[in-house]
Amino acid sequence: LGAVLDLEGRLRYLNRSGHRLLALPSDLDLATCSAFELIAPVDAPVLREEILPALRLDGWWSGNLTVVTSTGIEMPTRSTLRLHPPGAGTADRVTWVARDISTEKAVYERLHKKIFEDELTGLPHRSIFLDRLDLSLRRSPSDSSAVALLFVSLDRFKEKNDRFGRDVGDLLLRSVAERLDALRGPAD
């Protein structure tokens, strides 16, 4: 996406890629469009509290920004906005260059899940468990709260897994994991 807008967000120019990315018709009257309305509601505070102040102070801003297409789909982008001071007879202009990062974000989320969660149960891996236990034990003396550890053993699980098959064993593990997960509190 390549766009030129004023400081109020009115679009002055939007390239073909921008029209395609945002699913906007090519004959759209840009004068009726606000680029700021394309920013997802979740990122509206970023616009007010980060982007506009940075443009005025530093003349540029770069970061992740979620935009909403004309079809209502939220799309994460890596965006850079730069303020161009007025020239002879022109007002301030802002250029906005954005790239769709949906694929990168999806890959990151899958990798994050793979690294930190067991694929079968969705529960945290042993390394996360040990890290959280260590943090709890270190924090405990200073805030005088108790730390509890629950050890669960599925009696004769291997025997059942061998007898009924891996699919049944996986189902049993998922069922136990769901029940344990439902008992966890927000700090667990």
Side-chain angles (χ1 to χ4, degrees):
L1 171 146
V4 178
L5 47 139
D6 61 26
L7 278 174
E8 284 75 45
R10 288 184 296 267
L11 277 171
R12 300 299 182 204
Y13 169 79
L14 181 64
N15 68 359
R16 280 186 296 185
S17 294
H19 280 274
R20 235 183 357 264
L21 193 70
L22 298 169
L24 296 172
S26 56
D27 61 347
L28 177 72
D29 180 14
L30 292 180
T32 64
C33 249
S34 168
F36 297 160
E37 290 174 6
L38 300 172
I39 295 172
V42 70
D43 278 347
V46 174
L47 174 66
R48 284 189 313 275
E49 298 163 15
E50 291 181 33
I51 298 173
L52 293 176
L55 287 174
R56 290 186 182 101
L57 185 65
D58 303 323
W60 69 280
W61 178 89
S62 187
N64 293 343
L65 195 59
T66 304
V67 297
V68 181
T69 68
S70 66
T71 57
I73 297 171
E74 289 192 358
M75 179 185 338
T77 68
R78 179 70 181 161
S79 293
T80 300
L81 286 87
R82 182 174 176 158
L83 178 66
H84 300 276
T90 63
D92 287 340
R93 297 280 187 223
V94 175
T95 53
W96 180 9
V97 178
R99 181 175 59 87
D100 178 6
I101 59 168
S102 300
T103 303
E104 292 95 330
K105 193 169 183 178
V107 167
Y108 172 82
E109 288 169 2
R110 278 197 310 273
L111 284 174
H112 188 272
K113 192 173 181 85
K114 227 177 194 112
I115 291 169
F116 295 111
E117 292 180 8
D118 179 75
E119 200 170 336
L120 178 65
T121 64
L123 293 176
H125 277 304
R126 181 179 311 209
S127 59
I128 297 297
F129 162 73
L130 292 173
D131 180 62
R132 297 306 184 274
L133 179 62
D134 183 55
L135 285 172
S136 295
L137 292 173
R138 288 176 193 251
R139 185 178 53 229
S140 182
S142 63
D143 68 10
S144 69
S145 63
V147 174
L149 176 63
L150 174 67
F151 178 80
V152 177
S153 176
L154 300 177
D155 292 339
R156 299 188 314 270
F157 173 75
K158 183 175 179 351
E159 176 186 311
K160 291 176 180 94
N161 199 37
D162 291 343
R163 182 173 178 203
F164 297 109
R166 188 174 177 168
D167 290 342
V168 172
D170 287 355
L171 185 63
L172 175 63
L173 286 175
R174 278 195 295 272
S175 176
V176 170
E178 287 172 7
R179 290 177 184 189
L180 290 173
D181 196 40
L183 297 173
R184 280 195 307 169
D188 297 338

